[in-house]
Amino acid sequence: MRNSGPMLILSLLLGFWVGANEAQMSYDYYKTSCPNAEEIVQRELIGIFLVDATAPAAFLRLLFHDCQVQGCDASILLDAYGSRTESEMKSYRNFAVRKREAVEQIKSALEAECPGQVSCADIIAMAARESVSFSGGPRIGIPLGRKDSRTCSLQRADAYLPSPSISVDGFLQTFNSKGMSLEESVAILGAHTLGVGHCLNIVKRLYDPSPADRMDYTFRAQLRLSCPTTVPLENVTFVSNDITPVIFDNQYFVELLMGRGLFQIDASLASDPRTLPIVRNFAADQSYFYRTFSSAFVKLSSTNVLSSARGEVRRQCSRAN
Ligand code: HEM
Ligand SMILES: *[C@@H]1O[C@H](CO)[C@@H](O)[C@H](O)[C@H]1NC(C)=O
């Protein structure tokens, strides 16, 4: 109750901000063209979540990896066809990205009800949004009306998807370019409250840490048990991002303060003087984290949205019409 006033004002402001975009998105975009769109997406997702408790983490990461390359245009879902293009999934940075086929399943359900209306980019955004609330996080209102790209780019995926050892400067620049404040940038990385990381992405920190790396001693010992070799012998072992990997809470920030951040960039947020006070505030006040994450999420999911002139509504998410 306490939060409904500020939330309302926030959504009005965001509505305004999104309205200023070139592409016309709105909160009731499918009101006439596909009135049950959101219910259909929710219904399909419940089935997916019930058989795979790790699916919400996958959908949330999928949104970031879609929006980070050419904008939120479902370019990550395009398969290679002919000799014209290579899938973004070939990028090393898309290692272990999952649930693309689940988006296709949701798309089929929507095509059965209202053919050619709901974009794959909107499905990715809705799936990520539902993943957050299903995991106990905030319920976030997002505008809809994204269009799907006709192209994808492996080169852009390689260039724009960040490395786990990106600097804090590079990290802040990445999210600042999406209109996020310092607080929102720290909040959006709180998405790492869900899911896992593979040894591949942490062995550097475990066996060849930078002198400034202040990883907790027992945490490092635990991780070395899970990832015993400097070059992983296989790619199946993974460790949780935080101790509650299926719950969207502020535990991630609590653990950052204990030196238990999994990736280099996670850990750096707790040592950089710009981000440390914000990490402390989120660790102390979950509802403040939720509010800030919500506005950051709307900005992330509105990155470089295509207008109808430049994009389309794909009939099948894995290929352009
Ligand atoms: C500088 C920014 C970021 C970097 C460097 C980064 C890096 C990573 C890495 C290396 C992994 C582990 C992949 C693996 O080994 O399986 C990961 C997982 C994940 N990331 Fe990020 N990430 C960033 C931002 C984000 C953002 C903005 C979101 C969402 C809003 C996000 C959501 C996730 C989720 C949910 C997982 C777990 C996926 C799963 O369990 O399948 N990340 N991230
Ligand atoms: C693990 O995956 C990475 C990235 O795709 C690849 O470079 C590496 O060769 C794989 N390692 C093994 C042992 O399969």
Side-chain angles (χ1 to χ4, degrees):
M1 224 37 238
R2 196 170 61 90
N3 293 334
S4 60
M7 275 309 285
L8 181 64
I9 295 167
L10 180 70
S11 21
L12 289 174
L13 287 173
L14 287 168
F16 212 73
W17 181 81
V18 167
N21 254 359
E22 173 200 349
Q24 288 303 307
M25 291 207 285
S26 68
Y27 286 85
D28 57 359
Y29 191 82
Y30 295 113
K31 196 170 151 192
T32 50
S33 59
C34 194
N36 294 324
E38 299 200 37
E39 285 70 31
I40 294 169
V41 171
Q42 283 163 2
R43 188 191 66 208
E44 292 298 317
L45 281 172
I46 293 291
I48 294 165
F49 294 158
L50 289 180
V51 296
D52 182 359
T54 72
F59 285 118
L60 192 50
R61 185 172 183 225
L62 188 62
L63 173 75
F64 174 52
H65 284 221
D66 178 28
C67 296
Q68 186 61 19
V69 183
Q70 308 189 154
C72 310
D73 59 359
S75 57
I76 194 170
L77 299 181
L78 287 176
D79 282 337
Y81 56 96
S83 56
R84 277 205 299 154
T85 178
E86 281 195 279
S87 167
E88 291 174 12
M89 287 302 293
K90 280 214 176 144
S91 173
Y92 177 79
R93 302 262 182 249
N94 275 324
F95 173 76
V97 161
R98 305 176 286 133
K99 296 295 165 196
R100 291 162 76 243
E101 75 298 335
V103 175
E104 197 74 81
Q105 174 196 325
I106 299 168
K107 173 68 171 174
S108 303
L110 286 163
E111 286 299 292
E113 169 111 353
C114 20
Q117 298 302 318
V118 184
S119 68
C120 301
D122 271 351
I123 299 174
I124 293 177
M126 286 188 272
R129 185 267 300 272
E130 298 300 328
S131 293
V132 171
S133 58
F134 181 84
S135 309
R139 173 115 216 111
I140 309 169
I142 53 166
L144 299 172
R146 294 163 191 75
K147 292 290 176 277
D148 300 325
S149 65
R150 298 188 179 91
T151 62
C152 58
S153 169
L154 171 59
Q155 288 72 22
R156 287 193 192 113
D158 283 337
Y160 294 116
L161 292 169
S163 145
S165 51
I166 189 175
S167 67
V168 174
D169 281 336
F171 158 79
L172 292 176
Q173 212 184 337
T174 300
F175 295 104
N176 187 263
S177 70
K178 296 174 171 37
M180 291 190 205
S181 66
L182 181 60
E183 286 80 3
E184 287 170 327
S185 304
V186 175
I188 202 69
L189 208 63
H192 285 175
T193 181
L194 290 183
V196 299
H198 287 75
C199 295
L200 182 72
N201 283 312
I202 50 182
V203 282
K204 171 87 179 55
R205 268 194 95 196
L206 294 182
Y207 297 104
D208 182 19
S210 79
D213 197 322
R214 276 174 280 165
M215 185 187 260
D216 174 74
Y217 186 80
T218 47
F219 187 55
R220 172 168 282 131
Q222 281 168 11
L223 291 176
R224 280 183 174 178
L225 284 178
S226 304
C227 306
T229 54
T230 54
V231 175
L233 298 177
E234 25 76 33
N235 276 327
V236 293
T237 309
F238 51 81
V239 289
S240 307
N241 272 351
D242 71 6
I243 60 168
T244 56
V246 296
I247 303 174
F248 193 98
D249 54 14
N250 64 343
Q251 184 62 27
Y252 166 78
F253 295 105
V254 173
E255 288 179 33
L256 291 190
L257 294 175
M258 307 189 316
R260 291 173 161 256
L262 190 57
F263 306 123
Q264 183 70 60
I265 183 60
D266 298 317
S268 307
L269 294 188
S271 55
D272 189 285
R274 290 165 293 182
T275 51
L276 173 59
I278 304 167
V279 170
R280 287 213 179 98
N281 288 342
F282 289 155
D285 183 349
Q286 179 159 274
S287 79
Y288 173 51
F289 164 51
Y290 281 4
R291 286 195 304 278
T292 317
F293 181 86
S294 300
S295 61
F297 184 95
V298 174
K299 290 180 181 176
L300 175 69
S301 65
S302 305
T303 308
N304 286 342
V305 167
L306 294 175
S307 61
S308 350
R310 291 192 298 139
E312 62 183 22
V313 173
R314 281 180 216 146
R315 281 187 289 273
Q316 202 185 319
C317 292
S318 58
R319 55 170 305 161
N321 293 341

